[in-house]
Amino acid sequence: MGFSILGSILASVTSSSTWTGSYLDGKTAARQPVIIHASAHALLITFEDGRKMTWPYGSIRQTQGAYKGEPVRLEYGAEPAQVVVIADSAFLNVLHEAAPAHTRHLHNPLHRGVRVRFTYVAAVAVIVIGVALYLWGIPGLASVVAPRVPVAWETRLGETVIEHLAPPSARCMDPARTETLDTIVAALMGQAQSPYAMRVVVVRESKINALALPGGFIVVFSGLLERTDTPGQFAGVLAHELQHILKRHTTRAIIEQTSTSLLLAVIGGDFSGAMTYGLEGARTLGRLQYSRQFEEEADVEGLRMLQAAGIDPHDMVAFYQTMKEKASDPPGIWAYFSTHPSTEDRIKKLTSLIPASPNGPATFLPDVDWITTRAICGERAASGQAQVHRFVTYGSIDE
């Protein structure tokens, strides 16, 4: 019998609807050559010995052949399923032409271009969704989570991070001068309702910057402190940073930009998670950037804090004006302003918020020798030659 039967079968059907392939019974690995004919209602399979088999289209599953050049693999029946394999994927075109109403669940090569385009569209959609999540989803989540973070958790995180960011060997802790700085903080916080115990840590570093940490910590670089001309100017800097803490800008920014593990620790109130954060937290704080909205809010609320404390709000503007005029001075004079709104815009907005008054506030801390106080990190620093301590810095929140 052999292939003579196959030859007679081939002669009885049109070549366009008849194909050769291989059959597997699902029980053994043996392949049997078969002739496959696509009729209007079922797939007709003929073996070498003349046996015939009919597979209704509704019971056929396609497991291979969706891609160009890939063999077509069709399965039928319960597992272990029977299988036919046709090497030429053009067979699918014939299948859809012969029985368009019954083969819709099988891959149609004519739709391959549509599928490719859909894949591209889906890829773009994933990117768009990812960007939207980054721009709006994560900040939105942070705004919900941050107000619910326990103060004790923020404080423990701040304590751990500051040990890395401003280790004791880098701090300037002259008792008399530190007391003056604490007096300024107390004056600013006198009218504020706060769950935090605010602490200022001055470190020996020539960069002109200050950082607000979670839990009430403010790190001030000696380079910034030495640039202030009066206690009021320094109060203006502190007021801005205090507002970042009070408004929980720092905590929100950390949640937005840090690792998933810390976010889970925040949500769960895991103190041990905060403790293990340590060095990574210091680095993250160094890379943090507040949004323009946060910066403007810290400016405006900081100005109001000065007014409530009876400190001349013009002092805040004066410090910004000094920084603007000395922008060409090294080292890194613009570090404190690089992500803030433009200095000129800030000065204009803050000035517009200061009410006109024939008699301004009294001079803040008139009896304090500010030149001596601001040189807390060493007398040489007061002359503009700061003794820069070689501790590791990770950038700045305000960079």
Side-chain angles (χ1 to χ4, degrees):
M1 207 174 260
F3 278 96
S4 60
I5 295 177
L6 292 178
S8 62
I9 294 172
L10 284 171
S12 63
V13 296
T14 61
S15 59
S16 63
S17 61
T18 302
W19 301 76
T20 59
S22 300
Y23 170 83
L24 294 90
D25 61 11
K27 300 175 183 178
T28 66
R31 289 181 173 239
Q32 303 178 52
V34 291
I35 298 295
I36 303 166
H37 173 67
S39 73
H41 302 284
L43 206 62
L44 308 179
I45 303 171
T46 304
F47 294 83
E48 287 183 313
D49 59 7
R51 288 182 297 116
K52 296 184 178 181
M53 188 179 293
T54 301
W55 287 7
Y57 289 126
S59 301
I60 295 175
R61 304 180 298 276
Q62 181 180 350
T63 58
Q64 195 173 328
Y67 298 97
K68 186 177 182 180
E70 185 180 46
V72 178
R73 179 186 174 94
L74 303 178
E75 296 185 0
Y76 177 80
E79 297 293 340
Q82 303 173 67
V83 176
V84 292
V85 179
I86 301 96
D88 192 345
S89 60
F91 169 75
L92 291 171
N93 293 324
V94 173
L95 205 60
H96 285 282
E97 290 176 1
H102 303 291
T103 57
R104 293 171 182 167
H105 63 292
L106 304 177
H107 175 68
N108 189 338
L110 296 178
H111 299 162
R112 187 171 290 147
V114 175
R115 186 164 63 89
V116 171
R117 288 192 293 273
F118 177 79
T119 301
Y120 286 137
V121 171
V124 172
V126 169
I127 294 174
V128 171
I129 292 172
V131 171
L133 179 63
Y134 178 78
L135 293 178
W136 296 291
I138 295 177
L141 176 63
S143 66
V144 172
V145 172
R148 293 166 174 77
V149 175
V151 171
W153 192 97
E154 287 184 284
T155 302
R156 293 287 296 277
L157 176 60
E159 290 171 347
T160 305
V161 170
I162 203 169
E163 288 300 319
H164 294 276
L165 194 62
S169 60
R171 301 177 191 178
C172 306
M173 297 182 288
D174 178 88
R177 303 176 198 185
T178 298
E179 183 178 355
T180 299
L181 302 183
D182 290 341
T183 299
I184 298 174
V185 175
L188 291 170
M189 295 299 299
Q191 303 298 321
Q193 298 296 322
S194 170
Y196 309 105
M198 301 297 185
R199 286 146 287 187
V200 174
V201 176
V202 180
V203 295
R204 188 176 289 106
E205 168 58 45
S206 62
K207 289 183 179 180
I208 300 168
N209 222 328
L211 299 82
L213 275 60
F217 296 92
I218 297 176
V219 176
V220 177
F221 291 178
S222 59
L224 182 145
L225 181 57
E226 292 152 16
R227 288 283 178 171
T228 59
D229 295 327
T230 65
Q233 288 188 13
F234 185 61
V237 173
L238 289 184
H240 177 95
E241 300 302 332
L242 287 169
Q243 288 302 321
H244 279 316
I245 297 172
L246 293 172
K247 301 297 183 183
R248 289 190 161 183
H249 294 164
T250 303
T251 302
R252 285 181 60 178
I254 290 176
I255 295 172
E256 289 180 19
Q257 300 183 35
T258 195
S259 63
T260 303
S261 60
L262 181 65
L263 177 57
L264 294 176
V266 169
I267 296 173
D270 179 11
F271 284 173
S272 63
M275 298 310 97
T276 58
Y277 191 61
L279 181 58
E280 182 188 351
R283 289 172 176 160
T284 301
L285 281 167
R287 294 191 299 266
L288 286 183
Q289 293 185 356
Y290 292 126
S291 68
R292 178 176 290 269
Q293 174 188 350
F294 286 176
E295 290 297 349
E296 291 178 347
E297 185 176 17
D299 268 351
V300 172
E301 294 302 322
L303 189 77
R304 292 172 180 166
M305 175 177 269
L306 289 174
Q307 293 171 317
I311 302 173
D312 190 347
H314 288 95
D315 284 337
M316 175 185 274
V317 177
F319 177 73
Y320 292 159
Q321 187 65 46
T322 299
M323 294 297 96
K324 178 175 178 292
E325 293 171 355
K326 297 181 178 180
S328 59
D329 289 2
I333 194 80
W334 278 108
Y336 190 71
F337 301 107
S338 59
T339 59
H340 294 59
S342 76
T343 308
E344 189 65 37
D345 289 345
R346 298 176 78 186
I347 291 172
K348 289 180 180 178
K349 181 167 185 177
L350 291 173
T351 300
S352 70
L353 295 175
I354 300 174
S357 175
N359 299 313
T363 302
F364 181 55
L365 300 181
D367 298 329
V368 169
D369 182 354
W370 186 247
I371 293 178
T372 300
T373 300
R374 72 184 185 184
I376 187 173
C377 291
E379 294 300 332
R380 288 182 60 195
S383 65
Q385 299 177 1
Q387 299 175 357
V388 180
H389 183 88
R390 295 182 62 81
F391 77 100
V392 179
T393 59
Y394 306 101
S396 163
I397 292 177
D398 286 330
E399 283 186 344

